[in-house]
Amino acid sequence: MGWPVLHSRSPLLHNTLFAENALAGSYVFLEIRPEGLAAALRSLHPLRFSGCNLTIPHKQAAMKIVDRVDETARLIGAISCVVVEADGTLSGSNNDWFGFIHNLKQTFPDWRADAGPVTVIGAGGGSRAVCYGLAREGAKEIRLVNRTLARAQKLAADLGGPIRAYPWEER
């Protein structure tokens, strides 16, 4: 669920994994404009969805709509996954940080977060998860660059730790 989302390769990836593992289900595009997010999320239960992933620009706004948010997502300040419970309750979590960190470790087995400064570009929901994961892994210095300095400063203040915001011009 995102806006725009039709460029995503997620349906191909997930549907292939569903087929290879004989799992029932289908992964589909849900192209939802920001103003339709609440209605779309509340429609998941009557439409018999098990849940959805969230992408740009919904990760932060969805936190205010779902019924429950797990502790990690609350710390990050964004959700990437919504699970629809049997009673229609919507539970939000964030697994972006986990995927990012484990992809780094799989690709670069000797990678260490504390080996030197790290630069993150962007200050949206995905960047919040990346900064959280890097800090959790022991990064000593996270340089956060965003086109809007105030947004980067807010993320740095929200998450704290080793994150310092830099203006776009200093990227």
Side-chain angles (χ1 to χ4, degrees):
M1 188 177 290
W3 183 260
V5 74
L6 296 178
H7 63 280
S8 174
R9 295 184 178 155
S10 291
L12 175 63
L13 170 73
H14 288 85
N15 287 324
T16 299
L17 291 171
F18 288 168
E20 287 175 357
N21 293 287
L23 297 171
S26 181
Y27 194 103
V28 298
F29 292 114
L30 295 172
E31 193 167 46
I32 306 297
R33 293 179 184 269
E35 61 273 16
L37 180 60
L41 286 171
R42 291 293 167 200
S43 296
L44 292 173
H45 182 253
L47 292 172
R48 301 184 65 210
F49 276 78
S50 298
C52 71
N53 293 102
L54 297 168
T55 192
I56 295 171
H58 301 320
K59 292 182 179 194
Q60 291 171 277
M63 284 187 67
K64 298 173 186 154
I65 299 166
V66 299
D67 303 300
R68 283 194 295 265
V69 175
D70 75 14
E71 186 60 25
T72 300
R74 193 175 318 284
L75 290 170
I76 292 170
I79 60 176
S80 60
C81 185
V82 176
V83 172
V84 180
E85 307 292 344
D87 66 356
T89 299
L90 301 176
S91 298
S93 61
N94 192 310
N95 54 17
D96 286 345
W97 72 272
F98 182 86
F100 174 77
I101 293 298
H102 287 276
N103 180 58
L104 273 176
K105 288 180 175 183
Q106 182 178 2
T107 306
F108 305 103
D110 297 330
W111 174 83
R112 290 186 18 225
D114 64 351
V118 180
T119 300
V120 175
I121 298 174
S127 296
R128 296 179 78 84
V130 166
C131 288
Y132 170 86
L134 289 168
R136 190 172 186 272
E137 288 294 310
K140 304 271 188 253
E141 181 182 355
I142 300 171
R143 300 171 181 176
L144 180 62
V145 180
N146 192 59
R147 288 175 298 187
T148 307
L149 179 59
R151 188 167 166 120
Q153 290 169 328
K154 174 151 178 30
L155 190 159
D158 288 350
L159 293 182
I163 305 167
R164 183 167 170 222
Y166 287 84
W168 183 251
E169 298 74 31
E170 293 182 29
R171 68 189 178 280

